[in-house]
Amino acid sequence: MPSSRPHALPLPAITRPRWLLRASVDQLIWWAAAFWALVANTGFITEALKGVPAGSVATWGYRLALAAGLTGLHALLLALVATRWTVKPVLAVLVVASAFASFYMQRYGVYLDPSMLRNVVHTNPAEARELITWSLLPHLALQAALPLALLWRVQLVQRPLWRACAGRLATVAGALLLLAGALFAAFQPLSSAMRNHKATRYLVTPANLVWSAGKLSVAQAGQMQRPRQAIGLDAKPGAAWARWHKPRVIVLVVGETARAANWGLNGYARATTPELAALPVINFAHVSSCGTNTEVSLPCMFAPVGRRDYDEDRIRSSESLLHVLQRAGVQVHWRDNQSGCKGVCEGLPQDSVQAQALPQLCDGERCLDEGLLQGLPERLAQARGVQLLVLHQMGNHGPAYSRRYPAGYARFAPACEDADLQHCSREQIVNAYDNALLYTDHLLARLVGTLQAQSDRLDAAMLYVSDHGESLGESGLFLHGMPYPIAPREQTEVPMVMWASDGFARSAGLDLDCLRRRAAEPAAHDHLFHTLLGLADVQTALYEPGLDLTRGCRAAGTTAAAQSSTPSAM
């Protein structure tokens, strides 16, 4: 008799991925640490091996000790944060970040310290797009896409709590032993390398990312929690203000990435400053920057204490020279064609070239620097009292130097027109860089001409100084941002030029021939704060006469920018 029960349907087969890697969290930690030691740290190992005889047995032992130490270090760091729920997200983030970091460190010779990471974080989208080149793709494919694909196929083995704890203790102990053993085996050459170049530690990837990100986060959180400290509360006009019968305008041009080595007025073989050479400008031939990137140099050059007593937290948490000048009655305005004033002009009148959307000068992402002069004649015609106008250039910002000047300034050829500098010869890179300097020369000369045209109704002065320099392939380095103690002179020596109308020089009692002699002596960003106080004749206890470049070249009694009896905190 046939059964009335329905036939049971067969259960669907459970489909499994074609292949999986089964691993515990601790095994995954060791795999990642070994991968970074072998793949992401070639820059660190190369730097640590400098000066060590190549090919010897001892050198190979040193190399193995470095790889073992890197493995132990990263295994230890991961062991502190990796759990069954966090290990994959943490590794995914670090793998991608390490791939990007190792590419730019290897390609341009940069060090990923907190200062450089701050620079990266504050890079605007247009600048970032110029750094994303086709040569980045194969690097990301090998060091990011492939590891992420493998990570996706890892199936974590679940273990009882006691076994997981025991495994983690074993990982920590093993990492500590491996790290200690490696340090013991390689102590003498490694300690020598670190003692001579302490910044080498910022090549250890991704430990450099973790350390720099943590330090940067703590610093920024502290700065956000407190208002900027007011400085120069005693600032007031000097006695000379009562004798000035014309409006007084000082224009400060903050250059970008211009290096002294390629500045024509400094004796460079090429005429990169032909228009300025035809004007009665004063060229300061030996000027040192405060930093090697904008994030450091810009706040520092507007602070009363610069490189000589550098304190990043103190500088970033305080007001700038511009606030002191405004407090004394100087009308201050900041015009930007870059990535902002880095807090220097916070709360003060400001505008940007990009916002003007000038069709003949802007392409939607960036604007040529002549946009900084837009409307300047009209502004000067309405000038009253004492004014400081700050113009922040795009200048020679790399790596796309060819985008910093119009076609008419492509005088040195062939010029590199690729943002990926590896696709250009060094000659092409230098040609593009020098063309951008030519355009800065034209901008400054045009500015001087505009100020001179108004000399019948106002007294004017112009001061130009770049924020930092640039490496153009020397010693295999490109761009900028090296840690200051080991930075090459190409990144720390910058051009500086001053011009003053006859009326400004007379009213300030400036002996221009004396100032030309002073310009042949060393100067630095440290002088800017005090020189501008002197030129504007603002009294404050912050003023240090010895750091005013014009002080020794002014007739007695023509200025009152002496120290006030009222102290002012900084």
Side-chain angles (χ1 to χ4, degrees):
M1 183 174 180
S3 173
S4 60
R5 296 176 58 190
H7 293 287
L9 296 175
L11 294 173
I14 298 176
T15 58
R16 295 180 180 274
R18 302 187 71 175
W19 61 269
L20 283 174
L21 295 171
R22 292 175 57 81
S24 66
V25 173
D26 293 286
Q27 287 175 322
L28 197 53
I29 287 173
W30 285 108
W31 291 350
F35 170 77
W36 286 324
L38 297 175
V39 176
N41 282 277
T42 56
F44 170 76
I45 292 176
T46 300
E47 189 66 27
L49 287 172
K50 283 185 176 179
V52 179
S56 66
V57 174
T59 299
W60 279 105
Y62 180 38
R63 186 187 293 268
L64 289 174
L66 290 174
L70 290 168
T71 302
L73 172 64
H74 289 110
L76 182 61
L77 292 176
L78 287 174
L80 300 177
V81 296
T83 67
R84 184 158 56 91
W85 297 276
T86 63
V87 66
K88 283 193 173 184
V90 167
L91 288 181
V93 170
L94 289 178
V95 161
V96 173
S98 297
F100 276 98
S102 63
F103 175 81
Y104 291 108
M105 287 191 296
Q106 293 168 19
R107 180 59 58 94
Y108 299 116
V110 300
Y111 287 60
L112 225 162
D113 60 356
S115 173
M116 175 55 73
L117 188 60
R118 184 191 293 272
N119 212 37
V120 171
V121 169
H122 291 93
T123 297
N124 64 40
E127 293 174 358
R129 279 191 289 272
E130 291 177 352
L131 291 168
I132 306 298
T133 59
W134 289 109
S135 60
L136 176 62
L137 296 183
H139 185 90
L140 292 181
L142 176 64
Q143 294 200 21
L146 180 58
L148 288 178
L150 293 174
L151 183 63
W152 181 259
R153 309 302 294 182
V154 170
Q155 184 181 58
L156 292 174
V157 177
Q158 297 188 33
R159 298 185 296 179
L161 181 60
W162 70 270
R163 288 190 61 188
C165 291
R168 184 53 49 86
L169 288 174
T171 294
V172 171
L176 286 171
L177 287 173
L178 189 61
L179 182 58
L183 290 175
F184 178 79
F187 180 77
Q188 185 173 353
L190 184 60
S191 62
S192 177
M194 290 297 186
R195 184 169 56 252
N196 295 330
H197 299 290
K198 294 181 180 180
T200 302
R201 65 187 186 273
Y202 292 116
L203 295 175
V204 178
T205 309
N208 54 0
L209 288 166
V210 175
W211 170 260
S212 296
K215 192 170 182 180
L216 180 59
S217 299
V218 170
Q220 291 189 330
Q223 291 161 15
M224 291 175 63
Q225 290 175 1
R226 60 182 185 270
R228 287 185 180 271
Q229 180 184 353
I231 63 171
L233 296 176
D234 60 340
K236 62 182 180 180
W241 282 43
R243 300 193 299 270
W244 292 338
H245 303 299
K246 291 182 180 179
R248 195 172 187 83
V249 176
I250 302 170
V251 182
L252 172 64
V253 183
V254 179
E256 169 64 35
T257 321
R259 70 184 207 170
N262 290 48
W263 192 243
L265 293 178
N266 286 345
Y268 182 49
R270 283 178 167 173
T272 53
T273 54
E275 294 187 54
L276 286 175
L279 295 172
V281 298
I282 298 171
N283 181 64
F284 292 80
H286 308 287
V287 181
S288 299
S289 68
C290 187
T292 61
N293 62 65
T294 306
E295 287 291 333
V296 171
S297 278
L298 202 58
C300 180
M301 62 202 294
F302 285 90
V305 289
R307 193 76 223 175
R308 69 193 186 283
D309 190 20
Y310 186 71
D311 185 332
E312 180 176 348
D313 184 65
R314 184 183 180 188
I315 289 173
R316 291 186 181 278
S317 61
S318 300
E319 292 180 339
S320 75
L321 165 70
L322 304 186
H323 299 91
V324 177
L325 292 173
Q326 188 189 55
R327 187 165 286 125
V330 177
Q331 300 171 52
V332 176
H333 189 95
W334 181 284
R335 174 167 287 183
D336 202 272
N337 193 34
Q338 238 244 61
S339 55
C341 68
K342 315 303 180 186
V344 167
C345 63
E346 184 178 295
L348 300 175
Q350 56 189 284
D351 64 10
S352 72
V353 177
Q354 192 74 31
Q356 299 178 47
L358 306 169
Q360 70 277 24
L361 295 174
C362 302
D363 62 6
E365 288 192 346
R366 63 192 65 80
C367 299
L368 294 173
D369 278 332
E370 282 182 284
L372 291 167
L373 305 184
Q374 186 74 15
L376 181 59
E378 294 77 12
R379 179 185 292 273
L380 294 176
Q382 300 172 9
R384 300 290 184 274
V386 182
Q387 297 195 3
L388 174 69
L389 175 61
V390 185
L391 307 179
H392 187 199
Q393 281 189 273
M394 177 61 76
N396 279 54
H397 196 289
Y401 306 119
S402 64
R403 300 180 188 176
R404 309 299 175 233
Y405 54 88
Y409 290 85
R411 192 169 306 172
F412 303 112
C416 179
E417 297 183 357
D418 196 323
D420 190 344
L421 300 182
Q422 298 297 316
H423 293 163
C424 300
S425 67
R426 186 170 184 273
E427 178 189 6
Q428 292 171 325
I429 295 170
V430 173
N431 285 343
Y433 184 89
D434 287 349
N435 288 336
L437 282 183
L438 271 175
Y439 186 55
T440 289
D441 169 68
H442 170 71
L443 173 79
L444 297 178
R446 184 180 163 191
L447 171 59
V448 169
T450 303
L451 295 173
Q452 185 65 52
Q454 300 273 356
S455 60
D456 60 331
R457 65 168 307 275
L458 56 82
D459 295 333
M462 183 273 291
L463 181 63
Y464 163 82
V465 61
S466 182
D467 60 348
H468 55 78
E470 185 88 326
S471 288
L472 298 176
E474 298 86 3
S475 303
L477 299 177
F478 292 90
L479 304 183
H480 52 267
M482 289 282 287
Y484 200 89
I486 63 170
R489 58 190 301 179
E490 290 83 8
Q491 295 188 26
T492 61
E493 294 184 358
V494 296
M496 185 164 77
V497 171
M498 182 179 175
W499 171 88
S501 68
D502 292 340
F504 189 101
R506 281 195 303 271
S507 63
L510 270 178
D511 181 341
L512 297 183
D513 289 332
C514 169
L515 195 55
R516 286 188 177 89
R517 292 192 294 271
R518 172 62 184 87
E521 301 173 10
H525 277 170
D526 288 21
H527 290 92
L528 182 67
F529 185 99
H530 309 278
T531 299
L532 285 174
L533 284 176
L535 290 174
D537 191 28
V538 168
Q539 283 188 338
T540 172
L542 294 173
Y543 175 75
E544 297 183 42
L547 292 174
D548 179 355
L549 293 170
T550 68
R551 175 74 178 186
C553 297
R554 290 201 302 265
T558 58
T559 183
Q563 292 191 22
S564 166
S565 59
T566 305
S568 178
M570 166 56 187

